């Protein structure tokens, strides 16, 4: 920039220029971006906390004429302007907001300084807050608050973990109880079915036993009857059998023995029995015919008995077949997927 006789003449670009000695004077103006350090100052926030704040202002000259002639000391002017506006911007905030809103303070202060320094031929590029230092007692209180907050978060996290564990344990116990109940129910059903099948099998076996015994007794009676007729007994044989029977009765352990009062009447009974066999039986020829028929029937009965025993002995012993259960056994529900369990929402607390 060239001055002639102490008055602004023109703005010169960099390079070789011709000037008049003693009349013209060259004043050099640095057009590069400059930085101004704003010293720390005490600022009272809106919640009445005194903090120490310092900043840095970056500016760029745009018009050297206005920079030289419109302000006497630009550095001092911009420093004082930054300090006063810094008090205004930070004073409208609370301490927590000021500590967490550095970008807001930077942009607000830059807009104010850029508007104010426009007439000085300077453009404020940016403003940066270097430090915001609260008092020591406030710093101690902030540390205590931070510690309490972290302790609270730890307690809440631990409580949430215990609640999630309790919920997971309760769900596992519920599933286990359901499975145990289902297993017990299936066991009772299968046991009842087994008892029913066993009772049915025992009843069938008892019925078969009784039928077999009855058939055996009937076969035995028929066989004895046929054997008696096949032997063609005489009255003398019957009397001898009667006396042998009386002897066996007398040799027993019974305390009372029945003997006929009149032996002759006993012989009369034998005679009646003999008469039964020797009565209207058609004579010797009829008895011989009955004896032959009885012998043939006895042989048939014995052969049938042998065939039945052989058939029973030849039957294979099969394995017991357990019928399938009538109730389908339910499958166990799948386990819960791994991962954090979403805790159930807590019920609302009624107002006191």
């Amino acid at each position: 920039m060239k001055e002639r006789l102490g008055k602004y003449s023109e703005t010169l670009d960099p390079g070789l220029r011709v000037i008049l000695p003693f009349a013209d004077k060259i004043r050099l103006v640095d057009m590069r971006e400059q930085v101004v350090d704003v010293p720390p100052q005490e600022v009272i926030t809106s919640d009445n906390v005194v903090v120490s704040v310092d900043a840095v202002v970056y500016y760029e000259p745009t018009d050297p004429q206005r920079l030289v002639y419109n302000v006497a000391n630009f550095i001092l002017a911009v420093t004082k302007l930054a300090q006063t506006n810094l008090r205004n911007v930070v004073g409208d905030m609370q301490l927590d907001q000021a500590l967490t809103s550095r970008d807001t303070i930077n942009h607000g202060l830059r807009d104010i300084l850029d508007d104010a320094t426009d007439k000085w031929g300077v453009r404020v590029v940016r403003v940066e807050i270097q430090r915001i230092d609260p008092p020591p007692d406030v710093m101690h209180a902030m540390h205590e608050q931070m510690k309490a907050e972290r302790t609270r978060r730890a307690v809440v996290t631990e409580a949430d973990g215990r609640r999630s564990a309790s919920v997971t344990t309760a769900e596992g116990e519920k599933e286990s109880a359901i499975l145990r109940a289902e297993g017990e129910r299936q066991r009772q059903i299968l046991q009842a079915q087994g008892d029913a099948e066993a009772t049915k099998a025992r009843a069938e076996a008892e019925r078969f036993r009784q039928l077999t015994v009855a058939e055996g007794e009937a076969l035995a009676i028929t066989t004895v009857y046929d054997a008696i007729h096949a032997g063609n007994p005489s009255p003398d044989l019957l009397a001898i059998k009667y006396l042998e029977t009386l002897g066996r009765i007398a040799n027993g352990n019974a305390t009372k023995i029945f003997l006929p009062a009149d032996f002759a009447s006993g012989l009369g009974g034998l005679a009646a029995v003999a008469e039964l066999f020797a009565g209207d039986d058609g004579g010797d020829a009829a008895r011989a015919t009955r004896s032959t028929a009885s012998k043939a029937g006895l042989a048939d009965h014995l052969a049938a008995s042998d065939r039945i025993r052989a058939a029973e002995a030849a039957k294979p012993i099969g394995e017991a077949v357990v019928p399938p259960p009538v109730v389908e056994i339910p499958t166990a529900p799948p386990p819960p997927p791994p991962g954090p369990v979403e805790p159930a929402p807590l019920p609302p607390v009624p107002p006191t």
Side-chain angles (χ1 to χ4, degrees), residues 43-46 51 53 85-94 98 105 129 132:
V43 179
I44 301 176
T45 61
S46 61
V51 295
V53 183
N85 286 279
L86 189 61
R87 292 192 185 97
N88 295 334
V89 174
V90 178
D92 293 337
M93 298 181 178
Q94 294 184 356
I105 298 174
I129 300 296
I132 300 178

Side-chain angles (χ1 to χ4, degrees), residues 1-4 6-13 27-31 60-74 117-123:
M1 187 176 62
K2 183 175 69 173
E3 294 179 351
R4 178 168 291 177
K7 184 180 179 181
Y8 171 76
S9 174
E10 59 179 336
T11 300
L12 302 176
D13 295 329
R27 297 190 63 173
L28 298 178
V29 178
D30 193 352
M31 301 298 291
E60 179 182 8
T62 58
D63 189 352
Q65 179 184 0
R66 289 187 295 174
L67 177 60
V68 173
Y69 294 103
N70 289 356
V71 58
N73 190 343
F74 174 78
T117 58
D118 185 57
K119 64 178 181 180
W120 296 339
V122 174
R123 183 176 68 88

